[in-house]
């Protein structure tokens, strides 16, 4: 009877602890977890299971181990928010699979995807022909994002009877208050040109959370301090 009571108490304690840890780690869906967060989740779950069922496992040592893994995960999440290079390592980077209707086979091999898997993912997006795709990339969470060519998109009322230029995917030229010089060079511009664009808008680079350059030459900016009430 004593062992049974101990198991119940251990289980309730572990359940309460995991609830608190989950709140601390945030509200990401399972599909949005980074590789490291996924690994941490498995390890913490294994430790918690052992603490609940095995009375011989030292409770203090088990809780200490869980706290260490939790703190490491929180620390890496914080550093990822502050530094894109760390974020790329921890969470992974998006990779282009299709560009201008052409499959980039090398990128498929790097992510260990087959053409069958790519076509299946396209079909789930209601796309059945690769040539209809302007741009498709595999996001860090494993989802495929697809931009169709203009001729294959649903027509908007504003586009009727208009001769529109070919639309390309927007380029992210500023992220986390830092200019991505490599991306600026890809669009045939330079750092000075971008700084002049910001100066015309009376904006400092450090104030910009995200900036994207669109195919029509327009620069869209998202600021750190938008005048939007944050939801808790």
């Amino acid at each position: 009877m004593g062992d049974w009571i101990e198991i119940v108490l251990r289980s309730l304690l572990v359940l309460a602890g995991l609830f608190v840890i989950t709140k601390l780690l945030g509200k990401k869906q399972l599909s949005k977890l980074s590789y490291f967060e996924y690994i941490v989740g498995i390890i913490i779950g294994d430790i918690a299971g052992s603490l609940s069922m095995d009375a011989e496992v030292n409770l203090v040592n088990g809780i200490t181990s869980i706290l260490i893994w939790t703190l490491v995960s929180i620390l890496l999440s914080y550093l990822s928010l502050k530094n894109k290079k760390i974020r790329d390592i921890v969470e992974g980077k998006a990779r282009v699979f299709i560009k201008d209707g052409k499959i980039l086979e090398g990128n498929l091999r790097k992510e260990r995807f087959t053409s069958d898997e790519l076509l299946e993912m396209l079909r789930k997006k209601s796309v059945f022909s690769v040539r209809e795709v302007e741009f498709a990339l595999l996001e860090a969470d494993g989802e495929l994002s697809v931009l169709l060519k203009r001729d294959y998109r649903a027509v908007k009322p504003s586009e009727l009877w208009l001769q529109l230029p070919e639309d390309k995917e927007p380029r992210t030229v500023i992220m986390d208050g830092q200019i991505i010089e490599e991306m600026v060079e890809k669009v045939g511009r330079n750092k000075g040109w971008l700084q002049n664009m910001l100066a015309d808008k009376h904006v400092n680079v450090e104030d910009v959370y995200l900036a994207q350059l669109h195919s029509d030459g327009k620069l869209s900016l998202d600021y750190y301090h938008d005048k939007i009430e944050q939801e808790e």
Side-chain angles (χ1 to χ4, degrees), residues 86-135:
I86 294 178
R87 184 160 64 244
D88 288 342
I89 294 173
V90 175
E91 299 185 0
K93 298 173 65 175
R95 195 179 297 277
V96 179
F97 276 1
I98 301 175
K99 189 170 185 179
D100 298 328
K102 305 293 184 182
I103 297 176
L104 306 182
E105 295 86 355
N107 286 351
L108 282 179
R109 288 194 293 270
K110 289 178 181 178
E111 296 293 341
R112 294 182 291 280
F113 267 74
T114 66
S115 56
D116 287 333
E117 291 171 329
L118 174 61
L119 293 175
E120 179 184 350
M121 296 178 78
L122 288 174
R123 289 194 296 271
K124 289 181 178 179
K125 298 284 185 180
S126 299
V127 178
F128 292 86
S129 176
V130 173
R131 68 178 183 178
E132 298 177 3
V133 179
E134 177 68 45
F135 186 76

Side-chain angles (χ1 to χ4, degrees), residues 206-223:
E206 296 80 9
D207 298 328
V208 179
Y209 179 69
L210 188 74
Q212 290 185 309
L213 183 65
H214 299 269
S215 56
D216 58 3
K218 293 183 179 179
L219 185 69
S220 61
L221 302 174
D222 185 273
Y223 304 100

Side-chain angles (χ1 to χ4, degrees), residues 72-197:
V72 170
S73 180
I74 293 173
L75 177 62
L76 281 178
S77 295
Y78 176 78
L79 293 176
S80 296
L81 290 174
K82 298 294 184 180
N83 189 296
K84 186 178 185 303
K85 291 183 178 179
I86 294 178
R87 184 160 64 244
D88 288 342
I89 294 173
V90 175
E91 299 185 0
K93 298 173 65 175
R95 195 179 297 277
V96 179
F97 276 1
I98 301 175
K99 189 170 185 179
D100 298 328
K102 305 293 184 182
I103 297 176
L104 306 182
E105 295 86 355
N107 286 351
L108 282 179
R109 288 194 293 270
K110 289 178 181 178
E111 296 293 341
R112 294 182 291 280
F113 267 74
T114 66
S115 56
D116 287 333
E117 291 171 329
L118 174 61
L119 293 175
E120 179 184 350
M121 296 178 78
L122 288 174
R123 289 194 296 271
K124 289 181 178 179
K125 298 284 185 180
S126 299
V127 178
F128 292 86
S129 176
V130 173
R131 68 178 183 178
E132 298 177 3
V133 179
E134 177 68 45
F135 186 76
L137 76 163
L138 184 72
E139 303 288 359
D141 63 0
E143 286 287 327
L144 187 71
S145 297
V146 179
L147 175 67
L148 295 176
K149 293 182 178 179
R150 187 175 295 279
D151 290 341
Y152 300 100
R153 298 182 209 167
V155 178
K156 299 178 182 178
S158 60
E159 295 176 344
L160 293 175
W161 313 109
L162 296 178
Q163 295 294 326
L164 298 174
E166 188 176 3
D167 193 16
K168 298 288 185 180
E169 75 278 6
R171 302 285 187 173
T172 301
V173 292
I174 298 177
M175 183 178 288
D176 298 337
Q178 296 183 347
I179 295 176
I180 305 178
E181 296 187 33
E182 178 185 356
M183 194 61 67
V184 175
E185 293 174 358
K186 281 186 178 181
V187 298
R189 304 289 185 173
N190 55 47
K191 186 176 180 179
W193 169 85
L194 181 56
Q195 290 174 329
N196 290 335
M197 290 278 287

Side-chain angles (χ1 to χ4, degrees), residues 5-18 52:
I5 295 175
E6 183 177 355
I7 289 175
V8 171
L9 293 176
R10 279 173 172 260
S11 298
L12 291 175
L13 178 62
V14 169
L15 179 61
L18 290 179
S52 298

